[in-house]
Amino acid sequence: MSEQVRNTGTPEQPFLYVVVCAAGVASGVSKLITAAQERGWAVGVFATPVALNGFFGTDAVRAQTGRPIRSAWRRPGEPRPFPDPDAVVVAPATFNTVNKWAAGLADNLALATLCEVSGLGVPVAVLPCVADALASHPAYRESLARLRGMGVRFGDPYAGQGEDGGRPDFAWERALDLVERG
């Protein structure tokens, strides 16, 4: 597939960045993209480097968005494949990403993008996917508080285990509700 952008976000079609982290539910990110497109968003996907290692269907996502998946920095002189975002969704958001972002660490493009948009007043919604044992870690709780203080909007936590031992659905559309609220 060409690295050319098929269309850009316009005033008529706002642009949504979707940041995908390495969690098992990432395989369903196409549900979020479909829901966003049905709501009128153009979508560009960023992925953490580990998420690219089989956590979601990269070819399907590229075909669905008509854009490359961003995971590495551009070289000097290369054009920007995405316009500036009107909103950002981080889903699924892992323990590692939440903590690094809150600490201001930008050791990959997805994190650098999150650190940058945090200072631009762009609505950001997060759907955490963190095991209960990790979610109880003091650093994680402090990271959530810091990010909330920066205006980041959080959906309910998802640990991946339902009461009956099954896996409940991941609430992809909740992220859109969070960024679209006034």
Side-chain angles (χ1 to χ4, degrees), residues 13-158:
Q13 187 175 35
F15 202 86
L16 178 70
Y17 286 3
V18 172
V19 177
V20 182
C21 302
V25 296
S27 63
V29 72
S30 64
K31 294 175 186 176
L32 171 61
I33 296 166
T34 297
Q37 290 170 332
E38 287 173 352
R39 292 187 189 192
W41 293 92
V43 179
V45 174
F46 289 82
T48 62
V50 177
L52 285 178
N53 292 328
F55 281 86
F56 68 101
T58 55
D59 290 340
V61 166
R62 277 192 291 272
Q64 190 175 11
T65 64
R67 295 177 166 74
I69 296 168
R70 302 281 322 271
S71 187
W73 277 273
R74 296 177 293 122
R75 292 186 190 114
E78 286 183 341
R80 293 181 64 214
F82 301 162
D84 291 337
D86 294 290
V88 177
V89 166
V90 187
T94 60
F95 176 83
N96 194 45
T97 294
V98 167
N99 286 321
K100 284 182 166 187
W101 177 20
L105 299 177
D107 63 354
N108 64 57
L109 181 61
L111 280 164
T113 300
L114 292 174
C115 288
E116 183 177 22
V117 299
S118 297
L120 297 176
V122 173
V124 180
V126 177
L127 297 181
C129 186
V130 177
D132 291 341
L134 290 173
S136 69
H137 193 286
Y140 182 73
R141 289 192 311 269
E142 291 168 12
S143 294
L144 293 177
R146 174 176 273 177
L147 292 170
R148 282 187 179 108
M150 294 165 44
V152 175
R153 304 164 186 178
F154 284 86
D156 293 331
Y158 178 88

